[in-house]
Amino acid sequence: MASARPTIVLIPLCVPGHLPSMFEAGKRLLNSCGGGGAMSLTVLFTQMTMSANLMSDVDGLIRKESGSGLDIHFHHLPAVELPTDSPGAENFITRFIQLHAPHVKAALSGLSSPVAAVVADYFCTTLFDVTLELALPVYAYFSSSASMLALILRLPALDEEVTGDLVDMEGAIDVPGMPPVPAALLPGPLMTKGPNYEWMVYHGKRLMEAAGIIVYTVAELEPAVLAAIADGRCVPGRRAPTVYTVSPALSVKAAPGDGERPHECVAWLDAQPPASVVLLCFGSLGGSFPPPQVHEIADALERSGHRFLWVLRGPVPAGCGAPYPTDANVDELLPDGFLERTKDRGLVWPKWAPQKDIMARPAVGGFVTHCGWNSVLESLWHGVPMAPWPLYAEQHLKAFELVSVMGVAVAMEVDRERGNYVEAAELERAVRRLMGGSEEGRKAREKAAEAKALCRNAVEEGGSSYVSLQKLAREMLAYCGCEAGASASL
């Protein structure tokens, strides 16, 4: 399962918002250990039997990396019986991971090479007990923003300070390094106390036991929050583990080779003027809206007058496990005549779309996004300003940060009490501000351009992410007794 050289073991959460960034960061960490010559990478996959789509994602990743030339080994852990009494995603996921503890212990104990470190997704902190028993250093991988990390680290103390539900607090929530955060913008699992909330408190406590926390962010994008974590302002009387910022780790498809046709969305974008198209795309699990909301979006885009690329998805099939949407039937969903009236300036794409490749096209000038952290960083890597439309998890907190802290987005009113509903007039205003000549849009474009430079500088030699990975690699090499220093490019 692994080579004789020391290995870094990844334990990912095999869902779209977590697995890809963790794996890309792991590959870059491997390169930081001497171009893949000093250590290997071992990935332990949980059998996500609740969804064929999730396992298909894992199989696709394995196929993609089989010819990478890096020393990477994949191991599927035995399947476990799924929890049946776990209301809520956080409760289900954490209990699902917890059931894998004996299998993880057996896999780690059975490796033929020494383990330099275990890197576990932050939803896998129940497995820290296994690494403690085996006397292995464990690092937490945090796939979200530093602002969310600060909130999770702060949560155990906040839980003791507040007797009722956090959403009922008067005033705002204190997230160190952030402006006061309105309670209404808290992640859904944290708003009311219950099993999901309790597990998030648990994760906040266990993160403090990690040898370090690897955060998928750029240090220069969130300096105040990272300083607050480093200064011990999140956990009273204690200093958090060292934080390693490793973003971005983007893998963008190269230009098509001879005889290869570009994706239809990419080809359409290449025929549009620079920075003229607003992209509406809501991640692997998003883009499926009820018909009334679809009509509001269509009305807004038609009235805005701007070019658009709208990735519209169909409903999620019942009983599928993971909420992957289906392909959309545009004739049923869209208003009569909409496609004909907008055919010269818009494209509605009803299937999965290669967002990273789309975002890289010069024609994209604005992005209406659900604020998934991968999507945010892809947007900033290309200097594209955003209009946030948060839908679930911690996305409302990220939307607040993008507008009020980073300044890379224009504000858009999202009615959370109505299922994150957005009126046509509000979306039209946001698109006009984002793509037109408003002062708010101009400032967001300027800040996004600055963020682009920060992201790209971070991964260059001497940049913050480069240096952070080098430091982490040296630490892991030292643990397993390797004298070779971390070198090679990221």
Side-chain angles (χ1 to χ4, degrees), residues 99-459:
L99 292 171
H100 286 82
H103 302 313
V104 170
K105 181 180 178 181
L108 292 174
S109 301
L111 289 173
S112 60
S113 56
V115 176
V118 176
V119 180
D121 187 277
Y122 76 97
F123 269 101
C124 301
T125 64
T126 56
L127 301 178
F128 283 12
D129 293 329
V130 172
T131 60
L132 180 64
E133 185 178 349
L134 298 176
L136 297 174
V138 61
Y139 294 80
Y141 181 80
F142 203 83
S143 57
S144 188
S145 61
S147 62
M148 182 61 179
L149 173 60
L151 176 58
I152 296 301
L153 291 173
R154 168 93 173 89
L155 187 59
L158 191 62
D159 179 53
E160 295 180 359
E161 297 167 13
V162 181
T163 55
D165 293 334
L166 299 188
V167 71
D168 296 328
M169 284 183 61
E170 295 183 4
I173 305 293
D174 171 32
V175 179
M178 291 274 286
V181 178
L185 301 182
L186 283 174
L190 305 189
M191 300 185 86
T192 56
K193 295 188 176 182
N196 296 313
Y197 171 90
E198 291 166 3
W199 275 120
M200 297 308 290
V201 173
Y202 174 91
H203 292 314
K205 293 177 180 178
R206 296 304 302 263
L207 284 171
M208 293 294 292
E209 303 173 22
I213 303 175
I214 304 167
V215 186
Y216 190 53
T217 192
V218 175
E220 291 81 3
L221 292 180
E222 302 184 277
V225 174
L226 289 166
I229 295 172
D231 293 344
R233 283 181 271 154
C234 294
V235 184
R238 298 180 63 190
R239 191 174 295 273
T242 300
V243 170
Y244 301 88
T245 56
V246 298
S247 177
L250 302 182
S251 177
V252 179
K253 185 179 180 181
D258 293 339
E260 183 182 359
R261 298 178 61 183
H263 190 276
E264 188 174 331
C265 291
V266 172
W268 183 85
L269 283 169
D270 286 344
Q272 311 306 315
S276 66
V277 176
V278 59
L279 170 66
L280 296 88
C281 191
F282 303 91
S284 299
L285 304 181
S288 175
F289 293 101
Q293 182 67 88
V294 172
H295 280 237
E296 294 291 306
I297 297 171
D299 289 346
L301 293 176
E302 185 171 356
R303 295 201 303 253
S304 76
H306 288 284
R307 288 178 170 84
F308 64 87
L309 170 54
W310 177 11
V311 181
L312 172 64
R313 306 303 307 279
V316 176
C320 68
Y324 280 88
T326 56
D327 293 347
N329 186 327
V330 294
D331 293 329
E332 290 183 358
L333 286 171
L334 293 172
D336 291 340
F338 172 78
L339 291 176
E340 179 65 25
R341 293 191 299 271
T342 60
K343 64 180 181 180
D344 293 331
R345 61 179 177 86
L347 174 63
V348 179
W349 187 252
K351 308 175 184 178
W352 175 89
Q355 181 178 286
K356 285 189 292 187
D357 301 328
I358 288 170
M359 193 69 69
R361 309 319 299 169
V364 178
F367 185 23
V368 178
T369 173
H370 66 308
C371 299
W373 193 237
N374 290 325
S375 294
V376 167
L377 292 175
E378 289 166 16
S379 192
L380 296 181
W381 177 262
H382 295 291
V384 177
M386 289 163 275
W389 188 338
L391 297 175
Y392 52 85
E394 74 274 32
Q395 293 166 6
H396 287 272
L397 175 66
K398 292 172 185 172
F400 173 77
E401 183 178 20
L402 293 175
V403 174
S404 302
V405 182
M406 296 186 191
V408 296
V410 301
M412 187 166 72
E413 185 175 337
V414 178
D415 191 340
R416 196 170 187 179
E417 294 185 358
R418 295 174 63 192
N420 300 306
Y421 196 78
V422 175
E423 302 281 355
E426 178 61 18
L427 178 57
E428 179 189 353
R429 281 194 296 269
V431 170
R432 288 182 181 273
R433 288 193 299 264
L434 187 64
M435 304 297 292
S438 73
E439 181 67 10
E440 186 182 7
R442 183 188 64 78
K443 289 182 178 178
R445 286 191 292 274
E446 289 179 355
K447 288 292 187 180
E450 293 173 8
K452 175 180 178 179
L454 294 175
C455 289
R456 295 180 181 239
N457 289 338
V459 298

